[in-house]
Amino acid sequence: MDGTVDSAVPPARLAAAAPGELAVRPGEDPWTPEEVDEARSGLLSEAGRLRAELVASEDAIAGLMRDSGDGAGDDEADTGSKNITREHELALASNAREMLQQTERALGRLDAGTYGLCENCGNPIGKARMQAFPRATLCVECKQKQERRV
């Protein structure tokens, strides 16, 4: 990630939030500094875990590619098994890469003060949702609309 924060939150919505305050839904308690620190440390921990997972997957892929050779002497079952293993490792690496990008984006939004604002409508996502799913970028309503379109 290049350090820039890509946010689809409307500028008027960003200007409405006081510096250092994160959005909450009506009726929710404001974020405490401890809760913000907990969210940040959880995201940093997750980013570290995902980086390690990505390195392990990429090492496994490199090993599989190196060991695959030309396939001479392998029967069809061996070749098929190697292909399945390689594709599985590629899928794991892709998933880890995507989740790492989401986690880094959440950290950027936390730093920018836009954490907890829906990227679609600009309304608060909800503190409870953010605590349960720290990488959330959409409120429940917008997420449901998105899933109905897919």
Side-chain angles (χ1 to χ4, degrees):
M1 197 161 144
D2 62 7
T4 60
V5 176
D6 175 29
S7 176
V9 177
R13 191 70 184 146
L14 293 177
E21 291 182 12
L22 297 178
V24 293
R25 286 186 161 230
E28 287 183 325
D29 292 331
W31 286 85
T32 65
E34 294 80 17
E35 289 169 333
V36 174
D37 289 345
E38 186 177 318
R40 184 181 313 282
S41 67
L43 288 165
L44 288 169
S45 174
E46 180 73 358
R49 183 191 70 75
L50 289 166
R51 283 187 192 97
E53 186 178 312
L54 190 54
V55 167
S57 287
E58 289 173 346
D59 288 347
I61 292 166
L64 288 167
M65 298 301 274
R66 183 179 52 249
D67 295 342
S68 67
D70 61 2
D74 286 348
D75 63 18
E76 288 180 28
D78 288 339
T79 301
S81 178
K82 287 179 182 179
N83 287 341
I84 289 170
T85 302
R86 186 173 46 243
E87 293 207 11
H88 177 72
E89 286 298 330
L90 287 168
L92 289 175
S94 176
N95 186 51
R97 192 173 297 111
E98 183 178 329
M99 291 190 57
L100 178 59
Q101 289 171 342
Q102 290 173 4
T103 302
E104 288 174 340
R105 186 167 184 195
L107 283 164
R109 289 171 51 85
L110 194 56
D111 291 339
T114 59
Y115 187 75
L117 288 175
C118 179
E119 291 185 346
N120 186 47
C121 69
N123 291 324
I125 292 173
K127 184 175 160 183
R129 177 166 162 75
M130 295 306 299
Q131 288 172 323
F133 186 63
R135 293 182 304 272
T137 58
L138 299 174
C139 65
V140 172
E141 294 82 6
C142 290
K143 183 66 176 172
Q144 288 172 341
K145 288 177 191 172
Q146 179 192 52
E147 288 174 353
R148 282 194 295 264
R149 284 190 293 251
V150 174

